[in-house]
Amino acid sequence: MNRDIITIGASAGGVEVLLEMAHALPKDLPAAVFVVVHVPVGFVSSLPELIARRSALEARHPLHDEAIEHGTIYVAPPDMHLQVRPGMIEVVRGPKDNGFRPAADVLFRSASNAYGSRVIGVVLSGYRDCGTAGMLSVKARGGLAVVQDPTSAVAPEMPQNVIDSVAVDHVVHPLELPGLLARLVTTEAGPAREPGQLVKQVEGTEKGLPSDIVCPICEGVLTETQPGLFQHFRCHVGHGFSLESLVREQGEEMERVLWAAIRALEESAALSHRISLRETGELRKRFEEKAATQTQQANYIRELVLHGARLDRADASKL
């Protein structure tokens, strides 16, 4: 069999490259193309229509359980993972991976599991490191890894992270990408390989090492891959994180917790103030002091969130 499954991950700056690539691909391309572009939740995607205007290939958002056809570009719908199984497409609202849904890692991983060495993984311009873990799966089973030359990318982080962690086969300028893919899909795929322990841990099919960190999305226990090789974390629900994305998600969770603390303190201060208006003497004084203290605490935490104020010993006394 030839390499007839092309999986593409892109983010900021990647759509322009994708459109130019689709324009130059031949109408009789003997492969199916699967595309994940990171889009915000609630975003209405017109990417299939934009591709179809420029390409001789058909482009669409696929339906769940749709049969795979060569000469078609399948684009992940917003807030849905695009997955591949033998002969069929899955469109599911599964756990976020690296904070994204759809996620390039999910597409790459499922395609690699279903088609082994027949997969060509492509990572285009984008921020952060989605696509790196998925490309490990592609390479582990004998597929090919192609990345946009980071020097030509609007956002070089995604392709550069793949280059730093994976044995990439081709680093190409966007102008060279269509011709390269047209050649690669005509080459014969070798036998699929069995992935090693690291990739199985990244994919979640083999349990990683226990971690003392909980999932910032569901608070489930995280496991992590072997230290020093490729740091990746996964909870039993299925949320996956690189080290960078885990730090980012924890930061967002911390902000949510701090805003919740501000709300709770301000509500308690308001209640204490109301009670103080109904009391007299020492009891009234105690509730007035409580309301003032909680207001001060809420204001300090707000200042911490808004301006990143440093918490020293004097400031800590306010809490």
Side-chain angles (χ1 to χ4, degrees):
M1 294 292 293
N2 290 348
R3 302 183 187 275
D4 58 346
I5 301 293
I6 301 174
T7 57
I8 301 175
S11 190
V15 171
E16 294 79 5
V17 177
L18 179 65
L19 292 176
E20 291 302 317
M21 179 206 72
H23 174 71
L25 287 175
K27 182 177 182 179
D28 57 350
L29 185 76
V33 182
F34 301 87
V35 175
V36 163
V37 176
H38 300 149
V39 293
V41 176
F43 182 82
V44 178
S45 173
S46 58
L47 184 55
E49 290 80 5
L50 294 175
I51 293 174
R53 291 174 193 168
R54 292 166 170 80
S55 177
L57 302 175
E58 184 178 352
R60 61 177 180 268
H61 289 310
L63 300 175
H64 184 68
D65 280 343
E66 182 174 335
I68 296 174
E69 298 177 359
H70 285 180
T72 304
I73 300 175
Y74 300 101
V75 180
D79 203 31
M80 301 291 282
H81 283 312
L82 177 61
Q83 300 180 166
V84 178
R85 67 176 190 266
M88 306 293 287
I89 299 170
E90 292 184 342
V91 181
V92 296
R93 200 173 184 276
K96 290 184 177 181
D97 207 294
N98 268 338
F100 296 112
R101 186 174 54 227
D105 283 333
V106 173
L107 170 61
F108 289 4
R109 184 167 61 243
S110 66
S112 171
N113 270 294
Y115 287 97
S117 59
R118 291 164 60 182
V119 178
I120 303 170
V122 182
V123 171
L124 303 179
S125 175
Y127 293 111
R128 304 175 184 171
D129 57 1
C130 187
T132 300
M135 199 68 91
L136 284 171
S137 296
V138 171
K139 286 292 295 181
R141 292 182 174 85
L144 297 180
V146 178
V147 299
Q148 179 181 348
D149 186 341
T151 63
S152 69
V154 172
E157 292 179 19
M158 276 178 61
Q160 187 61 57
N161 274 303
V162 176
I163 293 171
D164 291 342
S165 301
V166 182
V168 172
D169 297 287
H170 301 278
V171 179
V172 296
H173 188 279
L175 295 177
E176 301 170 356
L177 183 59
L180 174 65
L181 293 179
R183 292 194 302 273
L184 293 179
V185 296
T186 63
T187 61
E188 186 175 351
R193 299 197 297 259
E194 179 70 15
Q197 183 183 40
L198 172 64
V199 170
K200 290 180 179 179
Q201 290 179 351
V202 170
E203 294 178 344
T205 57
E206 185 172 307
K207 193 171 183 180
L209 303 175
S211 174
D212 56 357
I213 307 170
V214 300
C215 176
I217 296 178
C218 69
E219 298 187 356
V221 176
L222 289 174
T223 58
E224 59 181 301
T225 56
Q226 303 167 43
L229 296 176
F230 179 77
Q231 286 189 288
H232 192 269
F233 301 81
R234 185 171 297 280
C235 73
H236 68 280
V237 171
H239 298 118
F241 308 92
S242 67
L243 182 60
E244 178 185 338
S245 66
L246 181 59
V247 171
R248 185 177 65 251
E249 286 289 339
Q250 281 192 327
E252 293 177 359
E253 174 63 15
M254 178 64 74
E255 183 175 339
R256 288 191 290 269
V257 169
L258 290 174
W259 282 117
I262 293 170
R263 175 195 56 76
L265 286 167
E266 289 182 338
E267 287 181 355
S268 184
L271 289 172
S272 295
H273 176 67
R274 288 190 182 189
I275 294 174
S276 71
L277 297 178
R278 299 174 54 184
E279 302 295 337
T280 59
E282 184 65 25
L283 194 57
R284 178 170 186 168
K285 182 180 178 181
R286 285 172 55 188
F287 277 105
E288 286 175 344
E289 290 176 347
K290 182 179 180 180
T293 298
Q294 291 176 325
T295 299
Q296 185 182 39
Q297 292 170 338
N299 289 338
Y300 175 69
I301 296 176
R302 179 178 282 104
E303 199 65 21
L304 186 68
V305 173
L306 295 178
H307 304 293
R310 295 186 62 182
L311 183 63
D312 57 25
R313 289 185 179 180
D315 293 328
S317 66
K318 300 175 184 178
L319 299 178

